[in-house]
Amino acid sequence: MPERDPVAERIAAYPWPRGGVAVRRAAGGWSLVSARTGAPVARLRPLPPGDRVEVLWWRRGAWGPAGPFGASFDLDDALAFIASEPAFWIRA
């Protein structure tokens, strides 16, 4: 039985636009892909200590900082940021 991942469960349960996301645990973080198209939406990388994550977006074939200076939030604010920012949903 796979180990339970409460963060992935919170991400999957969020009320996502455009058909929602599938969550994949990879390289110490979480990749969010469009449930409808399979295209990358965002990546969350945990920041020590606590509940903060760095938000990355897909551009030029790789994950990169969201915005010119990057973006870090607590998990709930990161999910709201991704859901409301159109740039994350271009391929979704």
Side-chain angles (χ1 to χ4, degrees):
M1 178 177 209
E3 188 174 322
R4 182 175 172 263
D5 184 345
V7 174
E9 291 173 4
R10 282 175 64 189
I11 295 167
Y14 193 84
W16 296 106
R18 298 174 181 86
V21 300
V23 182
R24 298 182 184 140
R25 180 87 169 145
W30 301 269
S31 295
L32 288 63
V33 298
S34 170
R36 190 172 58 84
T37 67
V41 172
R43 176 145 176 79
L44 300 175
R45 188 167 29 200
L47 296 172
D51 193 33
R52 292 191 69 79
V53 293
E54 179 182 18
V55 178
L56 306 169
W57 58 22
W58 190 255
R59 62 183 183 158
R60 298 185 198 124
W63 294 111
F69 303 107
S72 65
F73 303 95
D74 68 33
L75 182 60
D76 291 330
D77 289 340
L79 301 179
F81 173 62
I82 295 165
S84 65
E85 177 57 51
F88 287 103
W89 300 94
I90 291 170
R91 293 170 201 83

